[in-house]
Amino acid sequence: MKNSMQAAVVERLGEPLTLREIEKPSPGPGEILVATEACGVCHTDLHAAKGDWPVKPRVPFVPGHEGIGRVAAVGANVTAVKEGDRVGVPWLYSACGHCEHCLSAWETVCAEAQFGGYTRNGGFAEYILADPNYVAHIPAGLTPTEAAPLICAGVTTYKGIKVTDARPGEWIAISGVGGLGHLGIQYAKAMGLHVCAVDVDDRKLAHATRLGADAVVNATHGNVVAEVKQATAGGAHGVLITAPSLGAFTQGVAMTRKRGTCVLVGIPPGEFPIPLFDVVANCITVRGSFVGTREDMAEALAFAADGRVKADVELQPLSAINHVFERLGRGDVPSRVVIDFARQP
Ligand code: NAD
Ligand code: ZN
Ligand code: ZN
């Protein structure tokens, strides 16, 4: 068997990825090797490749944290999965398992957490090394390409909606109807919420309506905050901001109902001002949310296995990765592009 594999590699931050053969990893004790069937392309991969965030990834690295595949080999002492199982290798690649956060099922904020496609090589490659204790278990009935977006975009929006504390019958405003937002709308509807979708692109908003959004608002014209407040009869009980644009954050806080919660999920580089008096006087909660725990992952996948949430995917070969990145950067991807490894020559 050949001991190299095709991968898309970030050699230098801010430059196009290089498609080349790299060494095929082999699993050490406690590790597994996953043969990639599909990997979604998240806007986070773009931030990673550009080096947008304060903690930069070390080059060279292979991005991709929505990789789905079969376990091809297991290292010594692996009992959590077996060869042939279909798993996903998510952003939360591993954590320490014994710090205060891990012990209270908040492994997403473990100080020793490793991140797939960032601090560890990810899914834009034919094989992925993974930690069997942190992989997603893909329910039978979901294909690899439809499961891929769920293990980041799906779990992130599902968890983000949960931590708004919005209850059935209440309103959630979802800002950004891309990879994350198009799934967020479906989770929110399945959770009994009314949804007001906000985007800058009328085609995304038309799609939001098809997915069940009760109201849509275009953020590029008119007074977006006033329009959302009107649509939600006074402001949304929960706001989920997935847009990779700082302006959306200022707007998102302002469209939050009194005593409501605004959850920040998009991570454009930079900072945004918070109107202190309004947040204090209206008792608004502003909180961050980072992917989801393994428990959130199992729940998020179950919604899809039950047919209540379905990712819209456009399939592309790995060789198209740089073009996909360009399109994602200019907002020209309808929902989610998934790299389909079955299409590789
Ligand atoms: P995407 O490019 O697929 O979608 C972004 C959407 O936002 C697009 O539909 C775009 O038209 C819309 N948009 C742009 N500017 C807007 C504005 N001002 N107002 C409203 N909508 C606007 O991206 P994605 O893959 O969904 O990722 C979105 C963001 O979420 C990225 O910053 C990514 O890094 C972040 N992310 C965070 C987590 C987390 O755990 N917190 C997980 C995954 C992704
Ligand atoms: Zn992601
Ligand atoms: Zn820990």
Side-chain angles (χ1 to χ4, degrees):
M1 210 162 57
K2 81 179 173 134
N3 60 0
S4 70
M5 63 175 186
Q6 187 70 14
V9 185
V10 176
E11 309 273 12
R12 266 193 294 267
L13 298 179
E15 291 187 9
L17 281 63
T18 307
L19 274 143
R20 63 176 172 90
E21 292 282 317
I22 63 172
E23 196 183 327
K24 178 179 162 188
S26 63
E31 293 177 332
I32 60 172
L33 187 70
V34 177
T36 318
E37 296 174 294
C39 186
V41 183
C42 180
H43 209 109
T44 288
D45 297 314
L46 218 58
H47 295 307
K50 287 200 293 188
D52 273 348
W53 296 334
V55 181
K56 315 272 177 219
R58 283 221 325 257
V59 291
F61 73 99
V62 178
H65 53 273
E66 289 184 345
I68 308 290
R70 300 271 188 193
V71 176
V74 301
N77 308 323
V78 170
T79 52
V81 298
K82 57 182 189 318
E83 241 182 87
D85 286 356
R86 181 171 279 149
V87 298
V89 188
W91 178 256
L92 182 69
Y93 182 95
S94 65
C96 82
H98 49 73
C99 69
E100 62 175 295
H101 309 297
C102 284
L103 288 180
S104 52
W106 274 97
E107 64 266 30
T108 44
V109 295
C110 173
E112 287 173 36
Q114 300 295 319
F115 303 118
Y118 206 83
T119 66
R120 290 283 190 269
N121 279 341
F124 297 162
E126 291 175 295
Y127 292 89
I128 322 167
L129 212 52
D131 181 329
N133 297 312
Y134 289 85
V135 291
H137 301 271
I138 307 305
L142 288 182
T143 66
T145 50
E146 67 190 5
L150 301 172
I151 72 162
C152 176
V155 71
T156 300
T157 51
Y158 171 63
K159 174 68 160 195
I161 294 164
K162 276 214 264 187
V163 299
T164 65
D165 292 329
R167 289 181 302 202
E170 295 186 335
W171 277 96
I172 185 157
I174 297 181
S175 171
V177 188
L180 267 62
H182 94 283
L183 286 169
I185 291 168
Q186 298 177 59
Y187 279 107
K189 290 308 294 177
M191 292 157 86
L193 298 166
H194 297 306
V195 176
C196 178
V198 181
D199 204 289
V200 292
D201 181 338
D202 282 329
R203 290 168 305 176
K204 307 267 175 87
L205 292 173
H207 192 46
T209 303
R210 286 195 292 275
L211 293 170
D214 303 275
V216 296
V217 173
N218 190 316
T220 53
H221 36 75
N223 182 337
V224 53
V225 173
E227 283 179 45
V228 171
K229 281 189 158 170
Q230 192 183 12
T232 59
H237 303 81
V239 176
L240 183 73
I241 309 175
T242 77
S245 151
L246 288 174
F249 288 74
T250 308
Q251 291 166 352
V253 173
M255 62 180 71
T256 310
R257 201 182 194 88
K258 290 174 189 256
R259 294 166 51 217
T261 298
C262 179
V263 173
L264 319 182
V265 158
I267 326 179
E271 296 172 9
F272 74 100
I274 290 201
L276 196 44
F277 183 82
D278 293 345
V279 168
V280 171
N282 293 318
C283 296
I284 284 168
T285 302
V286 178
R287 65 183 299 183
S289 186
F290 200 39
V291 288
T293 65
R294 290 168 289 179
E295 191 181 29
D296 298 318
M297 181 73 85
E299 292 172 11
L301 287 167
F303 275 82
D306 288 349
R308 284 179 291 166
V309 167
K310 191 169 171 33
D312 290 315
V313 300
E314 172 193 324
L315 302 183
Q316 291 289 348
L318 184 61
S319 56
I321 192 69
N322 284 312
H323 186 229
V324 172
F325 268 30
E326 280 166 35
R327 286 174 53 207
L328 196 55
R330 56 171 193 264
D332 201 16
V333 168
S335 292
R336 199 53 136 198
V337 167
V338 171
I339 303 299
D340 183 2
F341 284 77
R343 293 189 164 199
Q344 299 307 307

